[in-house]
Amino acid sequence: MKIAFINPPWTLASPDQTYDSIGIWSSEIASRLAKSCHVIFYGKRGSGCSMPVQVVNQVEYRSIPVELDEGLKFLGLLHLLRFPGPGFPFFMSSLRYLNYCLRVAFDIRRQKCDVVHIQNFYQFAPWIRLINPNVKIILHMHSEWLNWFSRSVARRRLKCVDFVIGCSEHVTQKILVAFPELADRIYTVYNGVDIDNFSRQQRKTLNVENGSKTLLFVGRVSPEKGVHILIDAFNQIGQQDPNVDLVLVGPEAVADKRVIVLVNDDPKVQALEQLYLELQQSYDNSYLSYLKARISPDLVDRVKFVGVVERDHLPSYYHNADILVNPSFSETFGMSLVEGMASAVPVIGSRVGGMVHIIQEGTTGLFVESGDVSSLVNAVMTLLKQDRLRQDMGKAGYEQALNCYSWDKIADRLLALYQAQPLLEKVLVKQYAD
């Protein structure tokens, strides 16, 4: 079987992904499927790339230049003529990244692929189907784009797709409510974690004598991730406990408000528009500068912004953490929660999106209400004061990660979907078909 992964046009065609979650997903699954299948990974050609095709871990990485797509700005005018108004942005148009899509589509035909796995960009599906009429097309949604933008356009495009995958029950449920006709063609497939990598190193033993503890955040430093809520909470936590530090791992990568704030139906997310305005007016659009300015002066030395960390080094931050915190306002899955659990770290997450289906309240971690500083302070202090509870939650989280989120199990589930075996009905449960 020959499988092609079509990644977003900003995902590098390389196994060395760091904070591109979709690129990581494709690379991890591709390397496992390559043990029994021929796998091609399509992505963006990086600057200075001298090898349009490279093979790593038996996966064929094919890089596609996107300079022409970036230069064809005039196509946006044609899009506005067809879709007037802000409700259907240009990046969702079939004209956006058309060169990238067509190059991939024709190469797939030359490679004679059997399965095409499209990540998020459902506007690619009609072009892929037109040029490759006999392939099986899988659309994998890691976002809520199908719900946020024109459903009539999405419905036409979905006719070209054999199966739709949601990265969490949250995503799957919303798609099924909007498109009930997909009930027999949509499945939930979780994101995964390298259990061996995150559990290989010995976690530090709880230092009960000096009480030194670390709170950890891992993810993009962006307003919808609620990092300012975490900073406000730490201003109180740090005063109550002089032996706790806050470590934040991840790049400053502020999401375009047009694809987060302006299309989300959650009032708390919509309210972030005021924060975006403040960033523009007072902080030169730097969310990181805004966050640093919010830290209490006497706590500055106890807050560390690490920035980008290579994937191989990321587990060490979990292994030196006592609590993983994800205070996000919007989260389709919640990757840092799963990585924390794989590292036997108790987790705290907002009761939003896909995180609702990851945390087992009171067993693997605690929920807080998004945007609620007091709720977050109380949850953190509860865990900081109870060493045994943190240990028990860490152990339970590890077992959950092992049973539900290992890459090997996810690769097996996908292969069953690609092959349409009877196993499919047992492994990928259609929870929201009714």
Side-chain angles (χ1 to χ4, degrees):
M1 179 183 294
K2 209 165 191 178
I3 303 166
F5 285 95
I6 305 180
N7 294 283
W10 48 73
T11 295
L12 288 174
S14 167
D16 301 322
Q17 307 291 331
T18 301
Y19 266 92
D20 182 344
S21 59
I22 293 179
I24 291 171
W25 193 98
S26 295
S27 183
E28 292 284 358
I29 291 298
S31 65
R32 286 160 175 80
L33 293 178
K35 297 174 182 178
S36 60
C37 304
H38 185 160
V39 183
I40 301 174
F41 180 114
Y42 289 100
K44 171 185 175 181
R45 180 173 299 177
S47 59
C49 176
S50 59
M51 298 177 60
V53 181
Q54 59 175 326
V55 178
V56 181
N57 294 329
Q58 298 179 286
V59 178
E60 197 173 317
Y61 290 85
R62 290 181 168 264
S63 60
I64 308 297
V66 297
E67 290 81 4
L68 180 60
D69 292 291
E70 296 299 338
L72 296 177
K73 301 297 184 182
F74 72 91
L75 292 177
L77 298 177
L78 297 179
H79 168 80
L80 287 177
L81 293 176
R82 185 180 179 191
F83 300 106
F88 197 68
F90 178 45
F91 86 91
M92 292 308 306
S93 169
S94 58
L95 300 175
R96 189 69 171 117
Y97 293 108
L98 179 59
N99 169 69
Y100 175 84
C101 176
L102 292 179
R103 281 174 175 262
V104 171
F106 280 109
D107 195 67
I108 286 172
R109 187 168 73 177
R110 284 191 292 271
Q111 301 302 321
K112 299 180 180 179
C113 293
D114 303 296
V115 175
V116 175
H117 191 125
I118 302 174
Q119 304 284 27
N120 264 351
F121 274 66
Y122 57 93
Q123 64 265 47
F124 290 171
W127 295 112
I128 300 298
R129 176 63 71 203
L130 178 66
I131 297 169
N132 300 271
N134 297 318
V135 299
K136 179 179 289 185
I137 298 179
I138 313 295
L139 174 64
H140 193 160
M141 297 308 300
H142 301 262
S143 69
E144 296 185 46
W145 291 353
L146 284 172
N147 305 91
W148 286 348
F149 306 116
S150 172
R151 292 184 181 179
S152 61
V153 173
R155 185 166 277 108
R156 291 198 300 270
R157 293 171 176 176
L158 289 171
K159 291 179 180 178
C160 303
V161 172
D162 293 284
F163 294 104
V164 179
I165 294 174
C167 68
S168 66
E169 284 91 348
H170 169 74
V171 172
T172 303
Q173 183 180 26
K174 288 209 166 189
I175 294 174
L176 278 170
V177 170
F179 306 96
E181 67 273 19
L182 296 178
D184 61 344
R185 294 192 290 128
I186 185 165
Y187 303 90
T188 298
V189 178
Y190 294 128
N191 293 342
V193 63
D194 188 336
I195 301 292
D196 291 338
N197 194 26
F198 279 87
S199 64
R200 182 180 299 127
Q201 301 180 32
Q202 182 67 38
R203 282 203 65 231
K204 71 173 186 180
T205 58
L206 290 173
N207 194 337
V208 180
E209 292 183 0
N210 64 27
S212 176
K213 300 180 181 70
T214 300
L215 306 182
L216 177 66
F217 167 86
V218 178
R220 288 185 300 105
V221 178
S222 184
E224 82 281 1
K225 296 297 183 180
V227 188
H228 55 288
I229 302 300
L230 178 55
I231 294 294
D232 289 350
F234 187 74
N235 285 337
Q236 298 182 38
I237 295 166
Q239 298 297 337
Q240 296 182 45
D241 189 335
N243 295 310
V244 61
D245 296 325
L246 173 62
V247 175
L248 302 102
V249 176
E252 180 183 20
V254 177
D256 189 328
K257 70 176 183 179
R258 293 174 297 178
V259 299
I260 295 291
V261 175
L262 301 185
V263 295
N264 200 298
D265 56 5
D266 186 335
K268 292 181 181 179
V269 177
Q270 295 172 358
L272 292 174
E273 184 173 10
Q274 185 61 39
L275 174 54
Y276 274 84
L277 181 61
E278 185 175 354
L279 295 181
Q280 182 180 18
Q281 293 177 341
S282 304
Y283 294 92
D284 196 26
N285 289 318
S286 174
Y287 184 52
L288 184 59
S289 297
Y290 170 82
L291 293 173
K292 291 180 176 180
R294 290 179 79 96
I295 303 171
S296 296
D298 56 335
L299 297 177
V300 169
D301 293 339
R302 292 162 59 187
V303 179
K304 183 179 182 181
F305 290 91
V306 177
V308 176
V309 171
E310 295 297 325
R311 285 170 65 192
D312 290 343
H313 298 155
L314 184 58
S316 65
Y317 286 91
Y318 285 97
H319 301 148
N320 287 287
D322 294 277
I323 303 172
L324 183 283
V325 183
N326 186 331
S328 186
F329 288 91
S330 175
E331 199 75 68
T332 55
F333 183 68
M335 195 65 239
S336 66
L337 299 181
V338 173
E339 291 172 343
M341 291 191 296
S343 305
V345 178
V347 298
I348 296 175
S350 301
R351 199 186 299 273
V352 299
M355 293 195 289
V356 172
H357 302 283
I358 293 178
I359 297 176
Q360 295 180 19
E361 175 75 9
T363 300
T364 62
L366 299 174
F367 281 117
V368 296
E369 297 305 317
S370 61
D372 189 333
V373 173
S374 297
S375 175
L376 183 53
V377 171
N378 291 337
V380 171
M381 293 306 301
T382 295
L383 294 186
L384 286 177
K385 294 175 180 177
Q386 301 186 60
D387 296 337
R388 177 54 60 187
L389 178 60
R390 294 201 311 278
Q391 286 183 322
D392 290 345
M393 284 185 170
K395 292 178 181 178
Y398 172 78
E399 292 299 324
Q400 183 179 339
L402 182 64
N403 293 329
C404 301
Y405 305 116
S406 76
W407 285 121
D408 291 336
K409 290 185 177 181
I410 292 168
D412 290 342
R413 294 176 182 182
L414 280 169
L415 190 58
L417 176 58
Y418 296 158
Q419 296 173 336
Q421 295 177 344
L423 175 65
L424 182 65
E425 296 296 327
K426 298 179 182 179
V427 175
L428 301 175
V429 181
K430 301 189 290 293
Q431 297 191 30
Y432 302 101
D434 295 331

